[in-house]
Amino acid sequence: MATQIKRLFVNGFPSLYGGAGTELHHQIIVWRKLGMEVHLIPSWEYHQEPLYNEMATLGVIMHAPGDWSAVQPGDPVLGFCNAEFLQALPEIRKRTKRTVFVNCMTWLFDKEKEAMQKGEIAMFLYQNEAVRRNVMPVLRQLNGDSQIQFLTFSPYFHAEAFPFVRERDTDFFGCGRISRQDADKFAASTLHIYDTFVSPVLKHGLFLGFDQRSENKIGRPFDWIQIAHNQREVSQQAFYRHCRIVLQPTDTTENWPRVGFEAMASGSVLIVDNRGGWREMVEHGKTGWLCDNERDFIYYASKMAYEPHLRDDMAEEARLRGLELGGLEVSMESWKEVFEMMGRLPE
């Protein structure tokens, strides 16, 4: 029998920077607008987290790290791409069987597959329908239980946090890339692309999310490229104010890249890989550019530097595209359907 979901628990804590943490942040805003009682059970000490005060203001209930005592039978417990959640599943399922995993990658964790074999995950949620179609058959082979659900939801993007920038400094052409510092987030040819594309004015680059791992992969950036370890050194908003284009070749296949929404909301034209979630997010030649090789990255970056009117038109189209994909109303309706399905899961 279905039960109405009135509250949910999340193993983790939201963040201002980084894919899963920012996704969680924005979904909490939707859940609270829907009247959902939201509980956070982090895996670490969280009182100094940048979003602590906002969570308190939103009325989110925060528990001690690893404290599952408030969870009751029938309560959904979510893990947003959280390895600690997968480790904690046996303890969580002593209290509720409604365990929900949101995998933000395009591949499966070993622990995720192990949990599927054991029947420890009741529902899998995806932001990207193509990813759901690819990984669901693999998981189904491990456990054929028809009660285990696989759903896609429309994640909310809080565009108000990233104001559209219409005027930028004209003395230089601002470009950059933003991600975690992981080496895989950088294509080996990154510096070659940045060095080779041409501009009618001086180029000024900014890499937000860069450390020794990144440098070991691609080398030391040129003097005209500023580097920042994370958002404490340069905020995301400052990054997008700088960047007329986000020029982002990677070695990864992105699922549903949050930085795409940030760039579209901010008016920074995306020049990205023609694979993964970028294909669903970016309309090639209209809201950004999808690239098959380093020559494409160089060509489209140069085109954006020399064709400001086209660039501005694309930035406006991308802003509208972002609102269409990550708007509040469509996300709220999507989450209502998800909560309805959660209410049908075994307790």
Side-chain angles (χ1 to χ4, degrees):
M1 180 182 296
T3 57
Q4 184 178 0
I5 300 299
K6 297 181 179 179
R7 68 176 189 168
L8 73 158
F9 290 76
V10 179
N11 182 204
F13 204 86
S15 63
L16 287 169
Y17 186 65
T22 55
E23 287 162 10
L24 174 57
H25 174 206
H26 293 197
Q27 303 326 299
I28 288 173
I29 295 172
V30 176
W31 298 337
R32 292 298 292 140
K33 285 184 178 294
L34 288 170
M36 190 66 61
E37 182 181 301
V38 179
H39 296 250
L40 297 177
I41 303 177
S43 303
W44 61 89
E45 171 51 46
Y46 57 87
H47 287 86
Q48 301 304 314
E49 289 289 326
L51 288 172
Y52 175 82
N53 289 335
E54 180 178 333
M55 293 299 103
T57 301
L58 284 172
V60 173
I61 301 166
M62 293 169 275
H63 300 265
D67 180 6
W68 308 105
S69 60
V71 178
Q72 300 296 315
D75 285 335
V77 181
L78 284 70
F80 258 75
C81 220
N82 185 345
E84 286 82 3
F85 170 80
L86 297 173
Q87 295 287 349
L89 280 170
E91 182 64 27
I92 298 170
R93 288 182 67 86
K94 291 177 183 178
R95 298 180 175 278
T96 181
K97 299 297 188 291
R98 289 177 173 170
T99 45
V100 182
F101 187 55
V102 188
N103 190 340
C104 304
M105 305 298 181
T106 57
W107 41 267
L108 299 170
F109 294 90
D110 289 340
K111 197 69 178 177
E112 180 183 4
K113 291 186 282 188
E114 180 183 325
M116 178 64 177
Q117 286 180 314
K118 296 178 179 179
E120 292 178 334
I121 299 176
M123 177 183 284
F124 294 82
L125 284 179
Y126 304 92
Q127 304 110 310
N128 184 325
E129 176 61 18
V131 173
R132 187 190 72 86
R133 289 197 304 266
N134 288 338
V135 301
M136 183 175 66
V138 178
L139 291 168
R140 286 286 194 205
Q141 287 182 344
L142 300 174
N143 188 330
D145 186 350
S146 61
Q147 290 186 309
I148 299 174
Q149 299 295 311
F150 295 80
L151 300 177
T152 304
F153 70 98
S154 298
Y156 172 57
F157 175 72
H158 192 55
E160 294 175 17
F162 292 87
F164 191 79
V165 181
R166 298 190 183 278
E167 301 294 334
R168 293 180 174 85
D169 196 320
T170 57
D171 293 335
F172 62 87
F173 184 72
C175 53
R177 45 114 45 241
I178 177 173
S179 71
R180 296 193 305 275
Q181 302 91 341
D182 296 351
D184 286 346
K185 290 290 185 179
F186 292 76
S189 59
T190 297
L191 291 182
H192 171 68
I193 291 169
Y194 272 78
D195 185 42
T196 306
F197 92 83
V198 292
S199 167
V201 295
L202 290 174
K203 297 181 291 187
H204 185 191
L206 175 57
F207 288 1
L208 177 51
F210 195 90
D211 65 7
Q212 193 60 50
R213 291 170 293 172
S214 321
E215 184 171 340
N216 290 343
K217 172 70 175 289
I218 70 168
R220 186 71 178 175
F222 309 111
D223 290 342
W224 57 270
I225 298 177
Q226 177 187 353
I227 59 174
H229 180 74
N230 56 34
Q231 86 288 352
R232 292 183 178 87
E233 296 178 15
V234 175
S235 71
Q236 293 105 302
Q237 288 78 6
F239 170 82
Y240 294 111
R241 283 196 300 272
H242 168 88
C243 291
R244 294 187 180 276
I245 61 170
V246 173
L247 182 60
Q248 187 129 328
T250 72
D251 282 344
T252 55
T253 298
E254 299 296 332
N255 174 13
W256 194 240
R258 181 64 37 168
V259 299
F261 281 110
E262 295 174 357
M264 288 191 289
S266 305
S268 303
V269 175
L270 291 162
I271 304 176
V272 293
D273 295 290
N274 184 19
R275 60 176 181 268
W278 290 123
R279 285 180 172 176
E280 297 188 41
M281 185 175 289
V282 174
E283 298 169 291
H284 181 69
K286 182 178 181 182
T287 66
W289 302 99
L290 298 171
C291 303
D292 293 317
N293 49 57
E294 65 182 54
R295 294 188 303 277
D296 286 349
F297 280 100
I298 293 165
Y299 174 75
Y300 291 124
S302 303
K303 185 178 182 68
M304 290 293 88
Y306 275 92
E307 299 186 38
H309 296 301
L310 174 61
R311 186 184 66 234
D312 290 345
D313 289 345
M314 293 181 71
E316 178 61 27
E317 289 289 340
R319 184 185 69 83
L320 298 175
R321 174 70 170 166
L323 292 173
E324 174 188 334
L325 291 174
L328 181 61
E329 294 301 322
V330 66
S331 185
M332 289 177 71
E333 291 304 313
S334 174
W335 276 112
K336 286 178 185 178
E337 294 177 6
V338 170
F339 291 144
E340 182 179 344
M341 291 302 298
M342 283 183 186
R344 298 177 185 176
L345 294 172
E347 298 184 24

